[in-house]
Structures are given as C-alpha cells and as structure tokens.
Amino acid sequence: MTATLDLHSAWDAWHSDREEQLRTAHGWLSLTALHWLTPEPSTVEGLPGLWSATPDGVVVTASTADGLFVRGVRGPLPVDGTAVLHPVNGLPGSLVEVGDKVVEIARRTDAHVLRVRDPHAPTRTAFTGVPAFDVDPRWVVDGVFEAYDEPRPITVDAVVDGLQHHLTAVGVVRFVVDGAEHSLVAVPGEQGGLSLHFRDATSGVTTYPGGRSVQVPDPVDGRVTIDLNRLVNLPCAFTDFATCPLPPAGNAVSAAVTAGEKSPLR
C-alpha cells in the first residue's frame, strides 16, 4: 500500500511539473505559425523584415525600427541591417524576439523553418491540462537493455510529409507486457538515460496516433525500470506547427498500454 501511495504521489508531482512546462509563455502550446523558408527574401505574415534561407544559414533583414532582437549569449541584440543565423539540424533553433513573441528558426534535414511562439495563442490560453489514464502499478515493468557495440544512425519519418529525422540508436530494450515480450529501439534521453518512442494498441484510439514516448533511467547492470505511467505525448499532439519524428521502424507494442497521457483536447 505504501509503495502504491508513493507511486501516485510521485506521479502527481511529475505530472504537475509536466503541465507547468507546457504552460510556459513560449513553450509548445504557444506555436501559432510554421513557415518553410526559401532562398528568395520574403515577408512573413505578422512579422517585420525579410526572411530567407541560404546554404550558409537563415538571413534576416530589418531595421532597428522593426524591433527584431536576436537572442545570444550576451543578451538580445537588435537587427539593424542583415543578420545570419546558423541553426543546427535536429536541435532547438535560434531565437528572435519581436514584442512578446519569439520566432524560432530551425533546420530540419536540408530545409529551414520559422516558427512563431506567441504567449497569447489559444492553444496556450485555453489549456486546462493533459488528460491521462489512472496511475497503476502494473505499468511499472522491468526490462533488459542490450547495448549496440557502437551507436547506430537511424532515419525516421516525421509528421510532416517528406521530412525525416536523423537519430542515434544506442541499443534495444526488451520487456514483457500482457505476457508478450516486446523489443524497442532506444535513443539517448534528453537529460540522460534512454528514450523509448513507440505506438501501441491505443494509438489513434484514445492516444495520439503518432505514438508516445517515455524516459527511462540509465541501465544498471543491463537492467532498466520502465514506468509506462509516464508516457507522454510529443509536441505534435498539441499543435499543428511541430515537426515531430515518428517512432523508429518496429517500435510497436501489440497490447493496449492504458497508461500515461491520452490525446489532448484541441
């Protein structure tokens, strides 16, 4: 009974923090636009200046009066003339401030994209939380991590047609759900440990069709504990302006994993 109460209280704290992260002024819920940039300097609806993409990076042309500021290690710097930004493929983008909006400029494969983050976005102001299944100890499962001899580059599709993500797989996690063993390709977690992104029998029914992910602590002697109560939606479940990856090929669980986050209300 004590272990169950501890599981619930730990999940409550984790889930509350998760929702607070989503509520941040310029988080994923604040996205209002997605623009793919071209080599031709062009205006972008709702933003000052001219924007274009070149092999050298993203070029922004504006005057001081336009009120564009590029975030840097020394603080925001005003754009007065031309600024060139160099986002790295697959990583969070460079940030440009304009009023209370933040423009994220990112690279995805060989293309550059501009995303507008507006704290007044309806997806943020109307957010009431993320629905989730009831916490259940049965969804805390033991697994075995089999590391590859060397990390392997893998390519996965994205929710945006024609776009791909290039990831690094570090091994396979094996675990049993409903009497059946499942093997999932694992990639490094954002803050250490492992990340498992997969679909299950709830995908497209009560949960997001593109699958959900769960963070797993670092293996100990080749063993891991997977708390499926902490399965989360990727940003694309909340907004049409994200470019999330889909699960690696074969990352599917045949059972209905009625744990973790459900499809959010739009």
Side-chain angles (χ1 to χ4, degrees):
M1 180 63 71
T2 300
T4 299
L5 290 175
D6 288 346
L7 177 68
H8 279 75
S9 61
W11 185 90
D12 287 341
W14 167 82
H15 186 65
S16 177
D17 182 66
R18 157 78 169 157
E19 292 183 327
E20 284 305 307
Q21 288 297 318
L22 287 168
R23 287 189 180 96
T24 57
H26 297 111
W28 288 110
L29 297 179
S30 71
L31 293 183
T32 58
L34 179 72
H35 302 281
W36 295 95
L37 300 177
T38 68
E40 182 67 27
S42 305
T43 58
V44 175
E45 182 179 357
L47 298 177
L50 295 175
W51 306 77
S52 62
T54 72
D56 189 43
V58 171
V59 179
V60 185
T61 302
S63 66
T64 303
D66 289 320
L68 290 175
F69 294 83
V70 177
R71 284 189 185 177
V73 293
R74 298 181 180 178
L77 298 175
V79 178
D80 186 15
T82 297
V84 182
L85 307 175
H86 305 277
V88 177
N89 184 35
L91 296 182
S94 305
L95 300 178
V96 177
E97 298 177 5
V98 52
D100 59 359
K101 297 178 182 178
V102 168
V103 181
E104 179 192 4
I105 300 164
R107 181 172 180 174
R108 295 295 179 262
T109 312
D110 295 323
H112 289 87
V113 63
L114 176 157
R115 277 195 291 238
V116 180
R117 296 177 181 264
D118 184 347
H120 304 291
T123 44
R124 177 175 181 268
T125 58
F127 179 66
T128 58
V130 187
F133 293 99
D134 292 338
V135 178
D136 191 330
R138 73 177 285 252
W139 294 115
V140 181
V141 300
D142 294 324
V144 175
F145 174 61
E146 298 175 0
Y148 296 143
D149 292 337
E150 296 288 341
R152 302 177 185 177
I154 61 173
T155 300
V156 299
D157 290 330
V159 295
V160 177
D161 288 341
L163 185 66
Q164 294 182 319
H165 289 265
H166 303 284
L167 310 177
T168 300
V170 293
V172 173
V173 171
R174 303 186 190 279
F175 59 96
V176 174
V177 169
D178 285 353
E181 183 178 270
H182 300 280
S183 301
L184 302 178
V185 172
V187 302
E190 291 184 359
Q191 298 179 339
L194 306 171
S195 179
L196 303 177
H197 182 195
F198 62 94
R199 291 187 177 98
D200 67 272
T202 69
S203 301
V205 183
T206 53
T207 65
Y208 181 65
R212 297 172 293 164
S213 68
V214 64
Q215 301 300 305
V216 179
D218 286 315
V220 177
D221 296 328
R223 305 197 67 83
V224 293
T225 298
I226 309 162
D227 187 353
L228 296 170
N229 294 294
R230 299 195 181 194
L231 276 166
V232 299
N233 296 305
L234 271 65
C236 45
F238 299 95
T239 175
D240 294 328
F241 306 118
T243 58
C244 302
L246 294 175
N251 269 26
V253 172
S254 56
V257 181
T258 52
E261 294 183 350
K262 299 179 181 180
S263 291
L265 298 175
R266 286 290 194 103

